[in-house]
Amino acid sequence: MDLGYNELEILPEERFSGLKRLESLNLTHNNLLEFPSVREDLKHLTKLDLSYNKLIKIDGDNFDKMYNMKSLNLRSNKLTWISPSAFDNLTSLTELDIGYNQIMHLSSNVLTPAEVRMTSLRLSGNPFQCDCLMLSLWEWLQEHGRLLQQEDSPLVCVHPEKLRDHSILTLHPSDICPSPLVSDLEVQRLDSNHLTVAWEVQNGTLIGGFTVTYHVTTSRTPVVLANLQATARRHDLEDLVVPETWYTVCVTATGKYLRMYGNKPTPYVTEHERTTEVTANNRKCLQIRTLAKTDKTKITLSTLGIILGSSISAALVLTLSILLTALKFRRRRRRPVKNDVPQEYISYRHFSIQSSEGVYS
């Protein structure tokens, strides 16, 4: 059925009633704003062309009855969003064209159900935002890039500006999403057999957790202390056997994308590097010497001496201030009191008032 090149804006669902043998439906170059959830009558449809319309989104139930669909063309609409379940039942799909829309982010969950028999995929012409939300699509394309048909234009980033026109297929995860940075690793508590480390994190999107390891600096065999959640920012190292010993402590951020892809360079620490003291973006190490058992007492006595000395000094200053104040009061009391000269008052008994004739009385 060919309904292309009309001015259709609405396509009522009941219009598909009874079309049980329909295999091809062409609706290209219309003004459709949405495509209705189709009836089971169209379950034998194998080809649907909705290109060059004004569709804004694809819901999860728009195509859920089209079990035999092989070719779906959504090219040159105004799509900004496709439901992750939109193609769940399109397991027979071989050709999919969603190029030249307004899609900035596309989850791999949209494409995974239809990848079984797919031989042709067109995504070019969308203003892709190459950031952390694009990582799942990037990973899917690494395995299914052969499906892309790029005769029109290559699949490139449009945003951000620094990645404009870069091929998505050749990017590394650290280009798309800033690598996590473990920073400010420091010791918060230290004694002869115990220490506490704390750290901060920047760009934590890729982080799924942390691994804390330590070893005696002269040894190369790390001890894995704990696998922590992504929210952890401190950890206690207890029961360190030997006092006055140098230890190397490392905190490593772990996650799905914190690994090497092929032979591409990576700023991340990989699995085979865990036995070394490599400091990378997602790992931070420090060396610290535990205290001797007597050091703790010495530090305590020294601290008490400082506190006692400060207290004595403060007491002396306060006593001196009180004595000086008392001395000033005593001097004031001994001064002779001067008699004040009484104020003289002048009274006038007579007042002269000028009369109306100009004579004073």
Side-chain angles (χ1 to χ4, degrees):
M1 180 183 292
D2 190 351
L3 298 175
Y5 293 90
N6 287 289
E7 297 182 0
L8 298 176
E9 296 182 359
I10 300 175
L11 199 62
E13 181 181 349
E14 57 269 16
R15 295 295 183 184
F16 299 117
S17 178
L19 302 178
K20 296 182 179 181
R21 295 186 179 182
L22 186 65
E23 295 184 358
S24 177
L25 179 59
N26 184 9
L27 294 167
T28 187
H29 288 87
N30 280 287
N31 296 318
L32 296 175
L33 298 175
E34 61 180 11
F35 186 74
S37 301
V38 299
R39 302 163 62 96
E40 196 170 354
D41 290 346
L42 293 181
K43 66 180 181 180
H44 293 294
L45 195 68
T46 60
K47 184 176 181 180
L48 176 61
D49 190 348
L50 288 166
S51 61
Y52 297 95
N53 277 278
K54 297 180 180 179
L55 302 177
I56 298 175
K57 64 177 182 176
I58 300 296
D59 292 323
D61 57 353
N62 284 143
F63 310 123
D64 63 347
K65 300 293 193 301
M66 299 183 179
Y67 309 110
N68 295 300
M69 178 74 66
K70 294 182 179 180
S71 176
L72 177 59
N73 191 349
L74 297 169
R75 186 183 186 87
S76 295
N77 278 273
K78 296 183 178 181
L79 293 175
T80 59
W81 181 77
I82 299 178
S83 169
S85 60
F87 305 145
D88 277 1
N89 293 327
L90 303 186
T91 54
S92 299
L93 194 66
T94 58
E95 298 179 0
L96 175 63
D97 189 345
I98 52 177
Y100 293 90
N101 280 281
Q102 300 299 317
I103 300 171
M104 298 183 70
H105 295 109
L106 182 66
S107 171
S108 62
N109 294 334
V110 174
L111 303 173
T112 300
E115 70 185 22
V116 180
R117 298 184 181 180
M118 191 180 298
T119 59
S120 175
L121 174 64
R122 289 179 171 85
L123 297 175
S124 298
N126 284 289
F128 285 118
Q129 173 87 26
C130 293
D131 56 18
C132 295
L133 296 178
M134 279 285 289
L135 281 173
S136 66
L137 177 63
W138 177 89
E139 187 175 34
W140 189 89
L141 290 173
Q142 299 304 306
E143 300 179 5
H144 302 88
R146 56 183 173 75
L147 302 178
L148 290 175
Q149 305 297 315
Q150 303 186 47
E151 67 277 6
D152 296 328
S153 61
L155 188 63
V156 298
C157 302
V158 175
H159 308 286
E161 185 63 32
K162 66 178 182 179
L163 295 178
R164 179 181 290 273
D165 296 329
H166 281 65
S167 171
I168 294 177
L169 290 173
T170 61
L171 292 176
H172 186 270
S174 62
D175 299 323
I176 300 172
C177 190
S179 59
L181 178 63
V182 178
S183 61
D184 300 327
L185 180 61
E186 62 182 11
V187 176
Q188 288 189 338
R189 178 186 172 188
L190 177 66
D191 56 35
S192 61
N193 63 349
H194 174 275
L195 64 90
T196 300
V197 291
W199 60 92
E200 296 295 332
V201 172
Q202 299 176 22
N203 306 327
T205 302
L206 298 178
I207 294 176
F210 294 94
T211 298
V212 181
T213 62
Y214 83 96
H215 61 84
V216 177
T217 302
T218 56
S219 171
R220 291 293 179 180
T221 305
V223 177
V224 178
L225 284 177
N227 294 311
L228 308 177
Q229 295 182 354
T231 56
R233 294 295 182 270
R234 67 191 300 273
H235 188 69
D236 295 324
L237 285 73
E238 299 177 341
D239 300 325
L240 301 176
V241 179
V242 185
E244 294 186 282
T245 303
W246 283 97
Y247 288 93
T248 299
V249 182
C250 294
V251 176
T252 305
T254 60
K256 181 178 180 180
Y257 292 100
L258 304 186
R259 53 188 171 90
M260 182 78 77
Y261 283 93
N263 296 321
K264 296 180 181 179
T266 173
Y268 307 132
V269 173
T270 56
E271 292 293 329
H272 70 275
E273 294 175 324
R274 286 193 175 184
T275 58
T276 68
E277 298 171 15
V278 175
T279 296
N281 284 357
N282 66 314
R283 166 179 285 186
K284 198 76 171 180
C285 297
L286 61 78
Q287 293 183 346
I288 186 69
R289 181 176 179 269
T290 54
L291 302 177
K293 290 185 178 180
T294 55
D295 287 351
K296 194 172 182 180
T297 305
K298 290 179 181 179
I299 291 175
T300 303
L301 292 176
S302 176
T303 304
L304 288 175
I306 293 173
I307 294 174
L308 183 60
S310 300
S311 300
I312 293 173
S313 299
L316 289 174
V317 171
L318 181 61
T319 303
L320 183 59
S321 177
I322 293 173
L323 290 175
L324 290 174
T325 303
L327 184 60
K328 287 181 180 179
F329 274 109
R330 290 186 64 184
R331 287 180 178 177
R332 287 181 181 178
R333 293 180 63 183
R334 292 179 180 179
R335 289 179 183 175
V337 179
K338 296 181 180 180
N339 294 325
D340 295 334
V341 178
Q343 186 177 3
E344 295 181 357
Y345 295 92
I346 301 174
S347 61
Y348 297 89
R349 296 181 178 179
H350 304 284
F351 295 91
S352 297
I353 302 175
Q354 187 175 11
S355 64
S356 59
E357 289 83 6
V359 180
Y360 293 93
S361 59

